[in-house]
Amino acid sequence: MSRSSRWLSRGEKVIPGGVNSPVRAFSAVGGEPPFIARGEGVELIDEDGHHYLDCICSWGALMLGHAPVEVVGAITKAASAGTTYGAPTGAEVELAEELVDRVPSIEMVRLCSSGTEATMHAIRLARGATGRDLIVKFDGCYHGAHDACLVGAGSGVATFGIPGSPGVPEGTAQNTVVLPYNDLAAVEELFAERGGAIAAVILEPVAGNMGCIPPREGYLEGLRAVTQRHGTVLIFDEVMTGLRVARGGAQERFGVTPDLTCLGKVVGGGLPMAAFGGRADLMRELAPTGPVYQAGTLSGNPVAVAAARATLSALTEARYAHLEHVAAAVEDGVRDAVAYHGWSMHRVGSMFTLFARKQAPWDFAEVKECDTRAFGRFFRGALSCGVYLPPSQFEAVFLSAAMTEVHVATLVGGIEAALVAANA
Ligand code: KE4
């Protein structure tokens, strides 16, 4: 019995499924998850000494690979001065100034500890500021595990085929309308009927929780226009895309500025940190300057802030250019094999997904037509080649700036072999 298997059977006795987040359990692809001993650069090494090229990067959180020296050094230095004070620090102000400088929509920002918190608070802020209750989300988009958004979510919940989740009160779900992604007519139709009652529209500007699905031409611009016309708050959930698909996130890449933005993953440099920010007039509605309550014991703690600042300093234009070059090389390398095996692919920057479907999907209904059993064979085929891809058709591959041409060749070879295994 492998060490990982022993850890799993031990873990299942004290942690549901032996994992602290459902998608890690490999339920969607079969087999048992390796238990990780350490990460080094582009690699994960498991408890049995197997080395994997890490193409999940902690679900997109790692832009610089594992244990980058500048981030580890900053964490160590900060921790030696105390891990949390529960009081304001100058470092939080400097991080906030950096986010205001980087992200077009952000005039003011509040730090928190997870992407779930960020979207939950952004939605409460939009409701508090507009006095309206209704929110709109899109099928296949996932905004974290909180009630208002566990209605037709796309990550985890969709992988387990549970539309919404038990435990979400009927009354809560009734305040969330779920529309198809990339369908502007559906949004305009809803607004024509109920525009005045809609507090917010929230979406992933590039979806990553139904696989990587880009916005169709004009889609983001159309959402911006219709929400502007009806006084509805447009929220970009950039927990996945923020600081990844461009220095200023998807809003910079696509040139559309929302009213509020949620950040997570990359912004924390691998530590528990997230943020939400946007128009100053909205943000000032938050306590203590306004009536909308939001709080967090470890929000802006000095260690996570140090990791964040070290990461943002390392994310130079040159690093983004390198990441784009590596990701484009992978796409070019697998293009022929993807077409030959009757699969398809979407890539935006350093996130991409291969779909077990001939035509590339543009919404969740089309993604659900993918052959998920073939995807399971694909995933296991890649893993056996030492390439660690996301264990679900409904997730995205993430690359890190630690990757070089050598790793590109390894990843391309692994995907080609995995496609053969998928269609065996
Ligand atoms: P967290 O609460 O997991 O930090 O963030 C929630 C969240 C919010 N918004 C978007 C766009 C997200 O992708 C996420 C979290 N993403 C999943 C992966 N698809 C995290 C992995 C997991 O659930 O274990």
Side-chain angles (χ1 to χ4, degrees):
M1 193 180 194
S2 71
R3 290 173 57 87
S4 280
S5 294
R6 284 205 298 273
W7 275 118
L8 182 60
S9 58
R10 221 173 113 184
E12 284 171 331
K13 297 185 178 67
V14 288
I15 305 172
V19 293
N20 280 307
S21 202
V23 72
R24 303 176 190 172
F26 280 23
S27 312
V29 291
E32 291 182 351
F35 275 61
I36 303 304
R38 65 186 189 282
E40 286 173 3
V42 296
E43 283 200 329
L44 283 171
I45 298 100
D46 73 12
E47 287 284 346
D48 297 282
H50 301 123
H51 288 239
Y52 305 95
L53 177 62
D54 183 6
C55 300
I56 305 185
C57 296
S58 185
W59 307 95
L62 300 175
M63 284 284 280
L64 304 172
H66 291 278
V69 285
E70 58 269 57
V71 178
V72 173
I75 290 170
T76 309
K77 183 163 177 274
S80 61
T83 55
T84 178
Y85 311 130
T89 62
E92 291 163 79
V93 176
E94 288 176 326
L95 176 58
E97 289 168 345
E98 166 78 28
L99 294 174
V100 167
D101 174 64
R102 265 176 182 259
V103 185
S105 63
I106 296 185
E107 296 173 345
M108 296 188 85
V109 66
R110 175 63 60 83
L111 303 179
C112 52
S113 299
S114 71
T116 295
E117 282 181 65
T119 64
M120 180 175 67
H121 297 320
I123 287 168
R124 181 181 318 113
L125 175 57
R127 285 173 160 159
T130 60
R132 304 172 182 178
D133 291 343
L134 213 51
I135 63 164
V136 179
K137 75 175 288 289
F138 298 92
D139 204 15
C141 284
Y142 174 70
H143 304 294
H146 61 91
D147 287 358
C149 288
L150 277 181
V151 178
S155 159
V157 176
T159 302
F160 291 93
I162 308 165
S165 166
V168 176
E170 195 52 46
T172 304
Q174 280 161 8
N175 279 319
T176 303
V177 176
V178 184
L179 295 178
Y181 192 75
N182 267 328
D183 180 347
L184 193 53
V187 177
E188 284 165 350
E189 193 181 323
L190 175 74
F191 269 84
E193 278 169 44
R194 307 172 71 183
I198 300 173
V201 168
I202 183 168
L203 80 155
E204 297 174 56
V206 175
N209 287 287
M210 50 173 144
C212 178
I213 306 281
R216 281 193 184 280
E217 189 76 28
Y219 181 61
L220 298 179
E221 294 81 352
L223 289 178
R224 178 63 287 177
V226 70
T227 50
Q228 202 94 40
R229 278 201 308 275
H230 289 84
T232 293
V233 177
L234 179 61
I235 303 174
F236 275 9
D237 175 355
E238 295 223 42
V239 166
M240 206 178 247
T241 56
L243 313 174
R244 173 169 283 279
V245 299
R247 183 177 177 276
Q251 57 197 267
E252 177 187 281
R253 191 178 183 111
F254 291 95
V256 176
T257 302
D259 301 302
L260 291 177
T261 297
C262 302
L263 299 172
K265 298 182 194 275
V266 174
V267 76
L271 265 64
M273 172 190 275
F276 64 105
R279 285 176 19 212
D281 64 303
L282 287 174
M283 294 299 289
R284 287 203 179 91
E285 290 296 302
L286 284 174
T289 48
V292 180
Y293 197 67
Q294 181 274 331
T297 303
L298 296 176
S299 298
N301 76 76
V303 182
V305 168
R309 295 179 68 200
T311 299
L312 295 184
S313 303
L315 288 178
T316 59
E317 288 304 341
R319 275 267 172 62
Y320 282 105
H322 170 71
L323 205 44
E324 182 60 35
H325 169 74
V326 161
V330 172
E331 182 177 21
D332 291 346
V334 301
R335 187 188 316 280
D336 293 344
V338 167
Y340 174 79
H341 288 282
W343 283 47
S344 54
M345 181 176 181
H346 277 310
R347 175 180 75 86
V348 179
S350 56
M351 59 189 277
F352 66 83
T353 297
L354 272 72
F355 295 94
R357 184 178 191 271
K358 192 160 179 54
Q359 282 77 37
W362 287 92
D363 61 28
F364 195 36
E366 291 181 351
V367 173
K368 285 192 281 190
E369 291 167 357
C370 289
D371 179 347
T372 51
R373 293 174 64 83
F375 186 88
R377 293 192 296 274
F378 169 77
F379 171 81
R380 294 191 300 277
L383 199 65
S384 65
C385 298
V387 172
Y388 196 101
L389 299 175
S392 165
Q393 174 69 90
F394 303 102
E395 297 290 352
V397 171
F398 295 99
L399 304 182
S400 82
M403 287 184 77
T404 66
E405 304 293 340
V406 171
H407 307 123
V408 167
T410 304
L411 178 50
V412 169
I415 287 175
E416 288 172 337
L419 286 167
V420 172
N423 289 352

